[in-house]
Amino acid sequence: MSGYIQEDLSPEELAHRARLASSIAGSVRDLIDATVRTEVDEADIDEARRLIEAATAILRKDQLPGPFGIRFNTDGTKRSWGNAVLGRRNPIAPPVVLHHEPDVSWTEVELGAAYEGPAGLVHGGVLALILDQLLGSTAEYQQVPGMTGTLTVRYRKATPLGRIRGEARVDRVDGVKTFVTGTISVDGKVTAEAEGIFILPKWARGDKSDVLRRSVGEG
Amino acid sequence: MSGYIQEDLSPEELAHRARLASSIAGSVRDLIDATVRTEVDEADIDEARRLIEAATAILRKDQLPGPFGIRFNTDGTKRSWGNAVLGRRNPIAPPVVLHHEPDVSWTEVELGAAYEGPAGLVHGGVLALILDQLLGSTAEYQQVPGMTGTLTVRYRKATPLGRIRGEARVDRVDGVKTFVTGTISVDGKVTAEAEGIFILPKWARGDKSDVLRRSVGEG
């Protein structure tokens, strides 16, 4: 499949690239927050724009022809650095950092002004976005990966902007379908619940299943 | 409710602010894409970061203490400029621009490298994010608004990065619950289907319902 790339990078080179990706994306995340919240006047906006456009021109001197894709390295790790939720190189991603334990996968993440829906609250769709990734990655970690078939999110109460915790568990596996459940909570109280049904794609059910199965390490 | 702000801005002032918001957020959107796709070396990354941080410092000279919130203007329009899907001032938002017709609400939007999930494909959670907003706004336009109660998304086939079309309709209203259905399609083929159940919050069921009901214009 196009966009799935095999690489052979040394640990030092990987660490170097990770540091660079996080540093530039982190700067842009801070800029995003400043853009949402700024109250400066037109002259300052114009000056900021000039600086931003100069930065963009530098970054575009040498660039990928399309999206980042997913990179597998010979050490068994996988990089989804362009991913809209996990991607350390993607300023849209908070990024979410997942922790996998034997029976639960979890994350804690701070969501600022850029993730707003109703006033002062996390956008319900942002919770769905994070849950989709969390549930899918949980299935992948448990070696029962797949593409999202159905995602259902039940919103129990408002989720204020700030720190949230996500948790997910594989509930059961039925043939090529894996059922994963998860929650979002704030201060120990559940604000949203989700169920995801992940389906192993046809192309991955035979010999090619190693493409999805071989790696759970997220660099 | 905190974060719901009443303002009295002239049409000229609103237009001026809209232009400024779109210009700065548009620059940052372009920078986000460049950040995901850049291949430049460390010296260039460092130089770009310096420019970005200088821009951020300018924008932070005067800023809102928190998120943008939702602003109602005396002319009856509503601004959700910080919204993670619609917000013209929020670089995370594509932004989605909604079109409301009597029996259908729709949007067409280009999703680039920053919205990637599986390699080359739109992140399933990004589709859920857009559908949540599209369905909720459709209910609001039909004067049966509410907070999302349940969102169910069924993924029918992969959605490649690029142009997508979203459509939504109010299916039925049952007391304080509104059922809205929607689709995402690419080149006329449906790739995802959604149903949303939106519930009028208790605080909005009595006298205060005008807060949600009074306005459907999105500035």
Side-chain angles (χ1 to χ4, degrees):
Chain A
M1 275 182 91
S2 89
Y4 289 91
I5 297 160
Q6 182 67 49
E7 293 178 321
D8 181 21
L9 303 174
S10 69
E12 295 71 28
E13 179 61 20
L14 265 182
H16 176 67
R17 292 193 186 190
R19 204 165 53 241
L20 283 187
S22 293
S23 88
I24 186 74
S27 294
V28 180
R29 285 181 193 113
D30 195 30
L31 175 64
I32 289 169
D33 180 80
T35 300
V36 176
R37 294 169 55 204
T38 193
E39 295 269 77
V40 300
D41 64 17
E42 183 161 12
D44 282 332
I45 292 280
D46 286 347
E47 177 59 16
R49 274 189 55 200
R50 271 191 290 276
L51 292 163
I52 293 164
E53 285 163 17
T56 302
I58 291 170
L59 296 177
R60 288 213 190 280
K61 286 197 302 183
D62 185 12
Q63 64 179 2
L64 298 167
F68 186 85
I70 295 182
R71 319 285 180 103
F72 296 98
N73 201 40
T74 40
D75 61 3
T77 58
K78 171 182 156 184
R79 291 189 293 146
S80 305
W81 288 2
N83 183 286
V85 177
L86 307 175
R88 70 164 71 217
R89 200 164 110 167
N90 186 341
I92 283 184
V96 165
V97 178
L98 300 175
H99 305 273
H100 297 290
E101 297 177 14
D103 66 338
V104 63
S105 294
W106 61 274
T107 184
E108 292 203 352
V109 59
E110 190 81 24
L111 299 175
Y115 300 98
E116 189 178 37
L121 305 180
V122 179
H123 196 296
V126 168
L127 297 178
L129 166 63
I130 291 173
L131 283 162
D132 177 68
Q133 181 67 54
L134 172 61
L135 271 55
S137 292
T138 301
E140 185 175 352
Y141 180 77
Q142 299 292 347
Q143 307 281 314
V144 283
M147 305 287 280
T148 314
T150 305
L151 177 72
T152 304
V153 183
R154 289 182 187 83
Y155 298 90
R156 296 305 185 193
K157 54 181 73 183
T159 305
L161 289 170
R163 197 161 190 81
I164 65 165
R165 181 180 171 91
E167 291 188 9
R169 291 172 175 78
V170 171
D171 185 63
R172 64 190 190 279
V173 179
D174 182 2
V176 294
K177 289 189 186 175
T178 299
F179 296 76
V180 187
T181 57
T183 56
I184 297 290
S185 57
V186 175
D187 292 336
K189 294 197 176 86
V190 172
T191 64
E193 295 170 341
E195 183 186 68
I197 306 174
F198 296 87
I199 301 170
L200 196 64
K202 286 202 180 71
W203 59 264
R205 288 176 198 174
D207 302 346
K208 293 177 196 157
S209 62
D210 65 312
V211 173
L212 276 173
R213 287 175 189 277
R214 73 177 129 186
S215 167
V216 294
E218 187 67 47
Chain B
M1 276 183 89
S2 89
Y4 289 92
I5 297 160
Q6 182 67 49
E7 293 178 322
D8 181 21
L9 303 175
S10 69
E12 295 72 27
E13 179 61 20
L14 265 183
H16 176 68
R17 292 192 187 191
R19 204 166 52 242
L20 284 188
S22 293
S23 88
I24 185 75
S27 294
V28 180
R29 284 181 193 113
D30 194 30
L31 174 64
I32 289 169
D33 180 80
T35 301
V36 175
R37 294 169 54 202
T38 192
E39 294 270 77
V40 300
D41 65 16
E42 183 161 11
D44 282 331
I45 292 281
D46 286 346
E47 177 58 16
R49 274 189 56 200
R50 270 191 291 275
L51 293 164
I52 293 164
E53 285 164 16
T56 302
I58 290 171
L59 296 177
R60 288 213 190 280
K61 286 197 302 182
D62 185 11
Q63 64 178 2
L64 298 167
F68 186 84
I70 295 182
R71 318 284 179 103
F72 296 99
N73 201 38
T74 40
D75 62 2
T77 57
K78 171 183 157 185
R79 292 189 292 145
S80 305
W81 288 2
N83 183 287
V85 178
L86 308 175
R88 71 164 70 217
R89 201 165 111 166
N90 185 342
I92 283 184
V96 165
V97 178
L98 300 175
H99 305 273
H100 297 290
E101 296 177 15
D103 66 338
V104 62
S105 295
W106 61 274
T107 184
E108 293 203 352
V109 59
E110 190 80 25
L111 298 176
Y115 300 97
E116 189 177 38
L121 306 180
V122 180
H123 196 295
V126 168
L127 297 177
L129 167 63
I130 291 173
L131 284 162
D132 177 68
Q133 182 66 54
L134 172 61
L135 271 55
S137 292
T138 300
E140 185 176 352
Y141 180 76
Q142 300 291 346
Q143 308 282 313
V144 282
M147 305 286 280
T148 314
T150 305
L151 177 72
T152 303
V153 182
R154 287 182 188 82
Y155 298 90
R156 296 305 185 192
K157 54 181 73 181
T159 305
L161 288 170
R163 196 161 191 80
I164 65 164
R165 181 180 171 90
E167 291 189 9
R169 291 171 174 79
V170 170
D171 185 63
R172 65 190 190 280
V173 179
D174 183 2
V176 295
K177 289 188 186 175
T178 299
F179 296 77
V180 187
T181 57
T183 56
I184 297 290
S185 58
V186 175
D187 293 336
K189 294 198 176 84
V190 171
T191 63
E193 296 171 341
E195 183 185 67
I197 306 174
F198 296 86
I199 301 169
L200 197 64
K202 285 201 181 73
W203 60 263
R205 287 175 198 174
D207 302 346
K208 294 178 194 156
S209 62
D210 64 311
V211 173
L212 276 173
R213 287 176 190 278
R214 74 178 129 185
S215 168
V216 294
E218 187 68 45

